[in-house]
Amino acid sequence: YMPTHPTHGHLEDTLANALAYDFAEKGIPFVFHAVNRLDRNTSGTVLIAKNSMSAAILGNAMARGEIEKTYWAVLRGKMDIGEGEINRPIKRVQESIITRRICDEGEGAPACTRYRVLSAHADYSIVEAKPLTGRTHQLRVHFASIGHPILGDDLYGTADARIGRQALHA
């Protein structure tokens, strides 16, 4: 796990810092342009642009849905094999700057997640998920809302010593 960019409590141990150091060692000017980012404790691919023009092009392509994001997750509980869609709006919990929740239509931002159950076992299921929108914590909130939180997600489910983070990979 490595935070994408500096935040409170993570000023120097970030992807932005690592890339800035690497480019400086090579004598190459560098400004960090993250096109996407991942939630804390989510593993996977982060798309970084080398310059502001590339960042704008890639950011616009992502906004138009031309860059597809796919995640794999281990969820608590046994789900039925097949495909599904969770189309429920999400909004920030009023008292929190971090936590999100499902809400009624018109209250929050539209959020849609398509998923396919790849494998189902007695106490967990493995899914492939594609967020059609890009809301903060979208997959975590959506799966928790249907009674299948992501394994190890200590914000929307429960921590799990077997993994030490949420079982979510981009």
Side-chain angles (χ1 to χ4, degrees):
Y1 147 75
M2 179 181 283
T4 304
H5 52 78
T7 60
H8 178 71
H10 294 282
L11 299 177
E12 298 177 357
D13 60 341
T14 69
L15 179 60
N17 297 114
L19 287 173
Y21 177 83
D22 187 55
F23 275 75
E25 285 286 304
K26 296 173 183 170
I28 302 169
F30 177 75
V31 175
F32 186 72
H33 298 282
V35 178
N36 72 315
R37 58 193 179 100
L38 299 175
D39 290 347
R40 179 179 63 87
N41 292 335
T42 297
S43 61
T45 303
V46 177
L47 186 57
I48 307 296
K50 283 187 167 182
N51 57 54
S52 57
M53 180 175 282
S54 296
I57 291 167
L58 291 168
N60 287 334
M62 187 168 285
R64 289 190 304 269
E66 295 169 358
I67 296 174
E68 185 176 288
K69 294 185 274 183
T70 302
Y71 291 77
W72 292 276
V74 180
L75 308 181
R76 288 195 177 275
K78 185 174 184 177
M79 297 179 72
D80 293 331
I81 297 291
E83 298 181 4
E85 183 174 287
I86 305 166
N87 195 354
R88 308 266 324 265
I90 295 173
K91 75 177 197 176
R92 185 174 56 84
V93 172
Q94 189 172 0
E95 307 80 37
S96 175
I97 60 169
I98 296 172
T99 310
R100 305 303 198 261
R101 70 174 180 86
I102 296 294
C103 59
D104 293 330
E105 286 294 326
E107 278 188 49
C112 187
T113 300
R114 287 198 182 128
Y115 65 90
R116 183 167 54 109
V117 179
L118 303 174
S119 180
H121 304 273
D123 61 348
Y124 69 92
S125 300
I126 300 170
V127 299
E128 177 183 82
K130 295 179 185 278
L132 303 184
T133 50
R135 306 294 170 232
T136 300
H137 301 175
Q138 179 174 320
L139 299 178
R140 298 166 66 193
V141 171
H142 271 170
F143 286 123
S145 78
I146 63 168
H148 295 284
I150 295 172
L151 185 74
D153 185 348
D154 61 357
L155 188 59
Y156 301 103
T158 56
D160 192 299
R162 292 175 289 183
I163 188 165
R165 65 175 186 85
Q166 63 249 12
L168 183 61
H169 181 78

